[in-house]
Amino acid sequence: MDNEKIKEMLLSIRSTELDFTVIQTGKESKRVNGFYKPDTHEIFLHNKNFDSENLLVYTAVHEYTHHLIDEQEIKLNGGAYVPNAKVHTAAFWALFQELLAITEEKGYYKLDISSSPELVELTKKIKSEYLTKNAELMQEFGKLLIKAQELCEKSSIRYEDYLDRVLCLPRNSAHDMTKVSVKNINPQVGYDNMKMIASLKKPEEMAKATDKILSGTAPVTVRALMKQKSNQTEDPREKLEKEKNRLEKTIAQLQQRLEFVEESLENM
């Protein structure tokens, strides 16, 4: 696949008003498979890294995602150059997974582990004996922590101190396990996804998120959909007021820090 064919493929996946160039370097790199230059809108692919077109397409879509993020940021900033377009944010990964799914639907790319029977068997083992069992174990762990908290209260022992100095368990970890243990979530999604699903308030939303994970939707995509729905239901004025409060707190903290640094410099 030459550079123009790659560009045509990318445009067929998602159109863009911001022109870009695809360049296959003809080189091999141990550091990266490709990169995107937001100042010149160029996608570079180290094509000697790939032994199949499938892998080349994956990287091309990855770098094209940077370009689309670049385009979004430029529109938001009124045409200004965006140096952080290369950053792998949650928004980036969500868009990338969305584009990758379209790429697969169009037949440009495929994720097919059936070509490796050994990988198929290993995948079954990982899912059944590790992902699911670990999630079940964390559920049970959470139930034990609830019981431990009850016993601490009966014995006039501070539960947080028990976590800190007896179990030596981070409080956030204990909180996550406890939260997961009281929610009815299918452990087949894995413990990390259970934590994400447990943050949802409505049972129907939890069920939808669970179904998406079990059907093969990337967790980052599910999280983005959850956030998108949350943003849609939130009052725009309330959202801006929250952002204003956050910015004011940040400015106050920075101002306080600046005063401290200036005072320290004067005393040196």
Side-chain angles (χ1 to χ4, degrees):
M1 189 181 296
D2 61 26
N3 295 333
E4 283 305 312
K5 287 291 183 182
I6 295 173
K7 183 174 181 178
E8 288 176 15
M9 176 200 69
L10 295 173
L11 287 171
S12 73
I13 296 166
R14 181 67 57 85
S15 61
T16 176
E17 296 176 5
L18 184 65
D19 194 27
F20 66 98
T21 305
V22 175
I23 301 168
Q24 295 185 75
T25 66
K27 298 178 181 178
E28 181 179 351
S29 171
K30 294 182 179 180
R31 193 169 64 87
V32 294
N33 290 322
F35 60 94
Y36 174 69
K37 293 184 69 174
D39 53 336
T40 57
H41 316 305
E42 292 174 303
I43 292 174
F44 290 87
L45 303 172
H46 294 312
N47 49 301
K48 292 293 184 180
N49 279 20
F50 314 116
D51 57 13
S52 71
E53 192 171 279
N54 203 47
L55 296 176
L56 172 68
V57 168
Y58 181 91
T59 299
V61 174
H62 178 107
E63 301 309 333
Y64 187 53
T65 306
H66 283 300
H67 176 74
L68 294 177
I69 293 290
D70 187 23
E71 181 179 35
Q72 292 173 7
E73 293 295 326
I74 286 174
K75 288 179 179 178
L76 288 173
N77 289 281
Y81 164 61
V82 186
N84 66 340
K86 297 191 290 183
V87 178
H88 293 125
T89 62
F92 169 87
W93 289 117
L95 178 58
F96 173 58
Q97 290 296 332
E98 180 185 341
L99 296 177
L100 201 59
I102 297 171
T103 307
E104 196 164 13
E105 287 173 7
K106 288 180 173 288
Y108 298 124
Y109 174 78
K110 64 178 180 179
L111 174 60
D112 182 14
I113 67 171
S114 63
S115 59
S116 173
E118 187 177 1
L119 180 58
V120 171
E121 289 304 311
L122 181 61
T123 302
K124 289 179 182 178
K125 184 180 180 70
I126 290 172
K127 285 187 173 183
S128 63
E129 298 183 23
Y130 292 88
L131 281 175
T132 302
K133 284 188 178 180
N134 178 62
E136 291 171 342
L137 186 63
M138 293 299 101
Q139 281 180 317
E140 292 301 317
F141 198 166
K143 291 175 183 177
L144 292 178
L145 289 173
I146 291 173
K147 181 65 175 177
Q149 184 173 10
E150 293 171 354
L151 293 174
C152 283
E153 291 171 356
K154 287 180 181 180
S155 303
S156 297
I157 296 171
R158 183 74 181 188
Y159 176 61
E160 289 81 4
D161 196 21
Y162 170 76
L163 290 175
D164 293 342
R165 298 196 295 143
V166 176
L167 295 183
C168 297
L169 181 69
R171 297 184 188 185
N172 288 341
S173 298
H175 173 76
D176 289 340
M177 285 185 279
T178 301
K179 191 171 183 179
V180 163
S181 71
V182 297
K183 297 287 184 79
N184 185 25
I185 306 171
N186 189 339
Q188 289 183 350
V189 299
Y191 177 59
D192 288 313
N193 290 324
M194 289 178 75
K195 290 190 290 183
M196 175 179 64
I197 294 169
S199 66
L200 296 170
K201 296 180 180 180
K202 297 180 180 179
E204 57 268 26
E205 291 178 350
M206 293 173 62
K208 285 181 181 178
T210 299
D211 288 342
K212 285 186 177 297
I213 293 292
L214 292 176
S215 66
T217 303
V220 67
T221 302
V222 176
R223 190 180 293 277
L225 291 172
M226 289 163 48
K227 186 176 181 180
Q228 185 180 39
K229 188 169 184 179
S230 175
N231 289 339
Q232 288 173 349
T233 57
E234 188 175 9
D235 179 68
R237 182 179 180 82
E238 183 180 349
K239 184 179 178 181
L240 286 172
E241 286 176 347
K242 286 182 180 178
E243 184 178 3
K244 177 176 177 288
N245 290 333
R246 285 196 299 270
L247 291 171
E248 286 175 343
K249 287 180 181 178
T250 300
I251 291 170
Q253 290 171 351
L254 290 173
Q255 184 62 44
Q256 189 177 33
R257 178 61 183 172
L258 177 60
E259 290 173 1
F260 170 78
V261 170
E262 288 176 340
E263 184 178 344
S264 298
L265 287 171
E266 289 176 1
N267 294 330
M268 283 183 174

